[in-house]
Amino acid sequence: MSTNNILFSVKDKVALVTGGGLGGIGYSISLALVKNGAKVYIASRDKKKLDESAKQLNSIGPGSCIAIAADLSKQDECKKVAKEISLHDNHLDILVNNSGCNWGEEIETFPDHAWDKVMNLNVKAVFNTTVACLPLLRANATKESPSKVVTIGSIDGIRVPSLETYSYSASKAAVHQLTRTLASRLAGDNITVNAIACGPFYSKMTKATFDKFAEVITSGCPLGRFGNDRDLEGIILFLCSNACNYMTGAILPLEGGILISSNL
């Protein structure tokens, strides 16, 4: 194996990816890790979709996948996931906090429960899942090879969004700040925490918007396209491998240049 392959290797790493069901960014992230030899736990509410995802990922290999059904918007469910992992593995090398939801509606009718739903899953779940997994993340971490936490943010947490997604954009700005705060707190535990500020990636959550506004979205992207699995694989292998042992608290944009053409 070449030096570069070792540097970006996640072979035999143990990972948890929240929201790893088919049709979402979480599945693409899980795919990247499994393809490169990691053992990946995936967790979200939809057991049927999780089981389908795990079956498909296990058929791809060379890594493996285990599904854990849980509602991560609830603190007890976050603890349940960590406990389930601890029954099989005594450590966790990688945690990807990806679970999320969106809500779009005009300002005059934007409902109060949309704030609760989005903030609970997009922000509180990131904190609660990370805290629940701390013993596992600390167990195998060293200064030379820290454990890795990656949070999935959004460019809409940096710029003013083009659509009326008030709770979503606010939640992703909060995710970015929480990433920095956790990075500061957990550095002494040999745990790095970084975020990806994603631009337009086609997924189940974005399907309705993209089907309606695809041309508008791509026209505002200097690279002229949506993100794909390969784009996610590159940044995930970087953030989760020894290539990223000396970076923490960073918010990395993955958005085809949209931010450089936006009025921030």
Side-chain angles (χ1 to χ4, degrees), residues 10-13 31-40 61-64:
V10 293
K11 187 177 183 295
D12 299 325
K13 298 289 187 182
L31 175 63
L33 294 170
V34 168
K35 276 175 53 182
N36 289 277
K39 179 180 183 180
V40 180
S64 59

Side-chain angles (χ1 to χ4, degrees), residues 38-189:
K39 179 180 183 180
V40 180
Y41 293 88
I42 55 176
S44 69
R45 289 185 302 174
D46 193 331
K47 186 178 187 304
K48 182 179 179 181
K49 183 171 286 188
L50 276 181
D51 289 342
E52 291 173 358
S53 300
K55 182 179 180 180
Q56 189 163 317
L57 289 167
N58 281 318
S59 72
I60 294 168
S64 59
C65 181
I66 298 172
I68 304 173
D71 181 355
L72 296 171
S73 67
K74 300 175 181 178
Q75 186 180 45
D76 287 346
E77 294 282 286
C78 298
K79 292 178 180 179
K80 183 187 85 170
V81 171
K83 183 177 180 180
E84 180 67 22
I85 293 171
S86 70
L87 297 176
H88 305 277
D89 287 282
N90 62 8
H91 73 281
L92 196 62
D93 301 297
I94 299 161
L95 167 61
V96 182
N97 286 306
N98 164 77
S99 285
C101 60
N102 198 351
W103 194 291
E105 193 164 332
E106 293 182 0
I107 191 167
E108 290 88 352
T109 59
F110 201 90
D112 189 61
H113 63 85
W115 286 94
D116 294 334
K117 178 180 180 179
V118 173
M119 296 300 286
N120 283 346
L121 187 57
N122 290 13
V123 185
K124 285 175 64 177
V126 171
F127 180 79
N128 288 333
T129 304
T130 304
V131 172
C133 291
L134 278 180
L136 289 166
L137 289 164
R138 288 171 174 146
N140 218 31
T142 67
K143 288 187 183 299
E144 293 74 25
S145 185
S147 294
K148 311 292 170 57
V149 176
V150 179
T151 60
I152 304 304
S154 170
I155 57 172
D156 283 352
I158 299 172
R159 65 170 187 172
V160 175
S162 55
L163 302 175
E164 292 187 277
T165 53
Y166 300 101
S167 55
Y168 178 80
S169 55
S171 75
K172 291 304 183 179
V175 163
H176 297 166
Q177 183 61 12
L178 180 58
T179 296
R180 299 182 187 100
T181 305
L182 289 172
S184 177
R185 173 62 180 82
L186 299 179
D189 293 318

Side-chain angles (χ1 to χ4, degrees), residues 15-35:
L16 167 61
V17 179
T18 67
L22 285 166
I25 285 179
Y27 180 82
S28 299
I29 292 169
S30 302
L31 175 63
L33 294 170
V34 168
K35 276 175 53 182

